Amino acid sequence: MKSYDYIILGTGPAGYKLAQLLAKTGKSLLAVEGGLFGGTCPNVGCEPKIFLSGAVHTALASQQLVGRGIAQPAQVDWDQLMTVKKARFDSWPAETKAIYEKMCDVAVGYGEFVDAHTIQVNGHQYHGTHIIIATGHRPHRLEIPGKEYLHDSTDVLSLSHRPDHAVFIGGGYVAIELATFLAAAGTKVDLLIRSDRILRGFYGKYAQEMVDQLTARGLTFHFQTTASAVAKTGERVTITTNHGEQLTADYVVDASGRVPNVEKLKLTAAGIKYSRRGIDVDDHLQTSVAGVYAIGDITSQPVPKLTTVAELEADYLYRQLVRGDQEPLRYPTIGTAAFAFPEIAQAGVNPEEAADDSRYQVVEHDLSFGSFYAGLNEQEAKLTVVYDRDQRLVGASEIGATAADDINNLVPVIGLQPSSREWQRKVLPAYPALADEVFGLLKR
């Protein structure tokens, strides 16, 4: 049995970042991957998603400018867009695997624990002084009759031909983003939402405004509705809802959430504690077993499951394991976004949570009167900011075509807490853009 200083299970953003750092130490390192090398983000997640959104956002922005300087709106050609997307992304898993093979040893297959420090891959066993679990999340699959006729987000991101009618089951950011993309290309879209709102975790007021805008573009929302069964009807698929209603479509997407990849790990063999939320870790990212750690989406930490968070944890664990840093992990201000059209983005304290809390003051700004937003015909662009008792900016949420970029301008402001005097002395952003208005948002 071969022994390693470090074994990393999973090659997504968390594992990749950590492997790059550890490979430079001269210590022995084994990377284990049973799926796509590179994980979800670069293959079937954020990278191809943002690639598709470039064309979709451009087309939708042009459509809202008809009569305001644009004579002919752009149209999304889904089949052509997907052909270009595949030409760019299909080679990435093999390319990532080649990068790993230059950095360290590689075992292709799913790793499973034999004991606390022994991993088995395809019948071969490996001992690791330190083992890091970074196997991430995967799409949740509904356990209903006819589930074999459902597709997931991975399928949509490789969908060669646009369906005429698609139904999405779910109201999270994956469902809303992908539904926006297909609808922009001309697909009729219905969404089954099990609760009374979409995008939980984002500002509820802006989530409802997104519903209003998407509805105006032809998407149909069915709230308090779930799928109870799916059946094949000729070449189409019929969904029966909890209300007994039936919807027949060409394509049905199960976007009911994501779940941690724990089943194949055989964690109980090592005594590692976990739950349906993921693997439990302490504030040093160590599991219930000494010398075994978990980073990225696989953990049960109550933080957004984002590539940026995964890479932050990889950096932190490297400093701990190699440099001996023993400070507990403290998460910084984290920016999040749903890349639909319009976008919703936020950072810091959610205005919804602050509204009835005497510690905070919530102020909304209508951005549509600014020349930049008016030039895009962004009639509903809004920014809500949250101040604490010391008049420090501690939260921000925005809805608008450029919400993600705008909120990114405020992430360092919320995180670093500059005074208005410090900002004025040290920063002079480009004008006109939201960044040049930050000074006006600072109250101290």
Side-chain angles (χ1 to χ4, degrees):
M1 179 170 57
K2 192 168 183 179
S3 294
Y4 290 89
D5 295 306
Y6 302 101
I7 296 176
I8 303 176
L9 304 177
T11 62
Y16 185 71
K17 183 63 176 290
L18 184 58
Q20 284 184 309
L21 295 169
L22 292 177
K24 299 175 182 178
T25 65
K27 299 288 186 178
S28 57
L29 170 64
L30 173 68
V32 180
E33 179 58 74
L36 294 174
F37 274 78
T40 297
C41 180
N43 295 304
V44 291
C46 46
E47 299 252 5
K49 173 192 73 178
I50 208 67
F51 177 87
L52 297 179
S53 77
V56 170
H57 280 214
T58 299
L60 293 176
S62 76
Q63 291 169 19
Q64 70 182 21
L65 286 169
V66 173
R68 296 173 60 87
I70 297 294
Q72 186 65 39
Q75 299 295 322
V76 176
D77 184 329
W78 179 270
D79 293 12
Q80 183 183 76
L81 176 61
M82 193 57 64
T83 296
V84 177
K85 175 262 177 188
K86 290 180 178 181
R88 177 177 177 84
F89 289 94
D90 282 3
S91 62
W92 283 21
E95 292 171 0
T96 305
K97 181 174 182 287
I99 293 172
Y100 266 96
E101 289 172 337
K102 292 180 180 178
M103 288 195 298
C104 61
D105 288 351
V106 171
V108 178
Y110 291 100
E112 59 185 42
F113 281 88
V114 176
D115 57 42
H117 288 276
T118 305
I119 295 296
Q120 181 168 280
V121 185
N122 294 329
H124 300 283
Q125 293 189 357
Y126 308 92
H127 176 271
T129 304
H130 303 283
I131 297 177
I132 301 94
I133 308 169
T135 49
H137 270 190
R138 69 179 186 279
H140 173 264
R141 300 310 297 260
L142 291 168
E143 291 298 328
I144 59 175
K147 63 182 181 181
E148 63 270 22
Y149 303 120
L150 299 176
H151 300 276
D152 61 24
S153 58
T154 298
D155 299 325
V156 178
L157 288 170
S158 295
L159 183 59
S160 298
H161 305 294
R162 176 187 65 79
D164 291 329
H165 183 191
V167 173
F168 284 80
I169 304 170
Y173 72 92
V174 172
I176 300 305
E177 290 172 345
L178 297 181
T180 297
F181 296 171
L182 278 175
T187 296
K188 172 179 168 54
V189 172
D190 286 82
L191 296 100
L192 309 186
I193 316 295
R194 68 177 180 178
S195 66
D196 59 356
R197 62 171 289 180
I198 65 170
L199 297 176
R200 290 198 173 276
F202 287 89
Y203 185 21
K205 177 181 179 181
Y206 290 169
Q208 181 56 51
E209 289 192 19
M210 177 172 282
V211 169
D212 295 341
Q213 293 193 46
L214 294 179
T215 299
R217 291 212 305 272
L219 287 78
T220 302
F221 291 84
H222 305 263
F223 290 100
Q224 304 288 352
T225 303
T226 59
S228 56
V230 181
K232 194 76 170 176
T233 307
E235 294 299 315
R236 308 189 77 200
V237 179
T238 298
I239 308 98
T240 301
T241 75
N242 57 317
H243 303 300
E245 301 170 339
Q246 291 189 328
L247 284 171
T248 299
D250 303 294
Y251 199 81
V252 184
V253 182
D254 180 352
S256 55
R258 297 183 66 80
V259 294
N261 284 316
V262 296
E263 293 82 3
K264 295 179 180 179
L265 293 169
K266 295 189 177 180
L267 297 173
T268 54
I272 298 170
K273 294 180 180 179
Y274 68 99
S275 68
R276 61 181 180 82
R277 295 187 301 274
I279 296 174
D280 297 333
V281 294
D282 61 17
D283 57 8
H284 287 76
L285 298 177
Q286 185 169 250
T287 70
S288 55
V289 174
V292 180
Y293 303 83
I295 56 176
D297 292 356
I298 192 64
T299 79
S300 62
Q301 297 280 73
V303 293
K305 304 303 182 184
L306 303 170
T307 294
T308 50
V309 174
E311 292 178 339
L312 170 81
E313 292 175 345
D315 275 323
Y316 168 82
L317 192 56
Y318 167 77
R319 293 195 304 272
Q320 181 185 161
L321 295 176
V322 176
R323 298 181 180 176
D325 293 356
Q326 291 302 312
E327 287 293 320
L329 175 60
R330 296 288 181 261
Y331 290 94
T333 299
I334 300 171
T336 60
F339 291 91
F341 191 90
E343 298 172 347
I344 289 183
Q346 66 186 34
V349 178
N350 187 323
E352 195 167 3
E353 299 170 358
D356 298 319
D357 192 325
S358 61
R359 295 175 299 171
Y360 300 113
Q361 177 190 8
V362 179
V363 180
E364 183 173 73
H365 299 269
D366 185 346
L367 302 176
S368 62
F369 294 107
S371 296
F372 177 75
Y373 301 92
L376 292 173
N377 198 22
E378 277 290 299
Q379 299 178 15
E380 303 298 329
K382 295 182 178 68
L383 169 69
T384 294
V385 292
V386 180
Y387 299 97
D388 66 9
R389 286 173 175 166
D390 296 322
Q391 298 296 288
R392 295 176 298 187
L393 185 65
V394 294
S397 182
E398 183 179 330
I399 183 169
T402 60
D405 286 338
D406 289 349
I407 289 299
N408 269 344
N409 287 311
L410 297 178
V411 169
V413 180
I414 295 170
L416 297 175
Q417 292 294 316
S419 66
S420 57
R421 177 59 178 159
E422 288 173 323
W423 184 266
Q424 192 175 43
R425 286 178 54 225
K426 298 178 180 178
V427 179
L428 193 60
Y431 174 88
L434 182 67
D436 79 87
E437 298 182 8
V438 170
F439 177 72
L441 299 175
L442 298 177
K443 289 190 172 185
R444 66 183 187 95

